[in-house]
Amino acid sequence: MLAAYRKWDLLVRRCDRAAIRAAIEEVGLVTAQHSTLFELLTLFRVMSALGVHGWNLEPLRLFRGAIETRGTSADGRQIDLWYQTTPRVLASSAYRQILARHEFRGQPDLRPDLVLRWQARTGSRRTLLIECKLSQTGGVATAARKALFDLLAYRQAFAESLGESGVPYGLGVAWGGGLRPRGDQDVMLCTPDMIDEAMLTTTR
């Protein structure tokens, strides 16, 4: 019990950086799947890119079971970022509704890897769904196709919630390098080395 309390004190109450780093390196990285590590890489690269482009984000926090952060821009606009959760901004889900009508109870909803919600300079609210994929054999092309497939499904499932979310509404991040985003369509695709460019195209 005392050992558990000491861990809580270091990791939660005091947020001791050395203890957190040791926990991640000694436990988290050993037990995590490659896909989870890629999602975390994408999360931190998105946060870094937002910081470069003028968004001041708070540290990540765990709130009601969801990992999230929020922040503001220099001109006072607000932004929210969720990891591995379906936030309230996606509350209306055709996928969940259809399953419920057929008496499939307790089924998990569709869940993008990351959800970004911010206020554009025009005052409108924008939403970006981010899906991360890697392929051990097919490379960037296979991973990009998988991400695109899921993002198109999200568009149908969350059509009512997304509403006029603007273009693009989705970003597929494929493991590899050299895939540059194109922001003039519903979905952008890129590799991790191009996330900075994708964020600039989307949130400026």
Side-chain angles (χ1 to χ4, degrees):
M1 185 182 295
L2 288 174
Y5 173 79
R6 290 191 190 103
K7 282 292 183 186
W8 173 85
D9 183 56
L10 286 170
L11 299 176
V12 179
R13 190 177 71 86
R14 287 196 279 164
C15 289
D16 184 274
R17 292 191 177 192
I20 292 170
R21 179 171 182 170
I24 292 171
E25 291 178 346
E26 296 170 12
V27 181
L29 294 181
V30 173
T31 59
Q33 298 178 346
H34 289 170
S35 58
T36 302
L37 293 175
F38 182 40
E39 290 166 6
L40 293 172
L41 170 69
T42 302
L43 169 64
F44 290 122
R45 289 214 173 169
V46 166
M47 291 177 65
S48 176
L50 290 171
V52 168
H53 300 311
W55 294 95
N56 182 27
L57 296 177
E58 298 174 359
L60 286 169
R61 62 178 186 161
L62 183 64
F63 183 69
R64 294 181 180 175
I67 296 174
E68 62 181 57
T69 183
R70 60 184 55 178
T72 56
S73 64
D75 56 9
R77 293 180 294 132
Q78 296 183 338
I79 193 166
D80 293 278
L81 175 62
W82 295 270
Y83 169 68
Q84 280 295 343
T85 189
T86 307
R88 291 182 179 178
V89 297
L90 300 178
S92 180
S93 167
Y95 176 85
R96 189 174 61 239
Q97 291 167 8
I98 291 169
L99 287 176
R101 285 193 209 108
H102 291 81
E103 299 183 359
F104 290 99
R105 306 296 180 186
Q107 297 297 311
D109 203 353
L110 296 181
R111 184 178 64 187
D113 293 324
L114 289 89
V115 178
L116 196 60
R117 176 84 165 168
W118 74 99
Q119 184 180 11
R121 286 193 174 96
T122 60
S124 63
R125 300 295 293 179
R126 294 284 313 279
T127 303
L128 184 72
L129 311 181
I130 303 175
E131 189 69 14
C132 313
K133 295 293 182 187
L134 56 82
S135 174
Q136 301 289 354
T137 56
V140 172
T142 298
R145 286 196 298 270
K146 289 180 179 179
L148 176 59
F149 183 89
D150 283 357
L151 287 164
L152 292 174
Y154 296 151
R155 179 59 171 170
Q156 181 68 26
F158 299 119
E160 184 178 337
S161 296
L162 288 173
E164 299 298 324
S165 62
V167 174
Y169 76 85
L171 171 63
V173 183
W175 175 251
L179 179 59
R180 179 163 253 129
R182 301 287 184 263
D184 56 349
Q185 48 199 348
D186 284 346
V187 174
M188 289 188 299
L189 301 171
C190 75
T191 43
D193 55 321
M194 299 291 177
I195 286 176
D196 186 84
E197 183 175 332
M199 290 298 100
L200 175 61
T201 301
T202 307
T203 61
R204 61 186 174 187

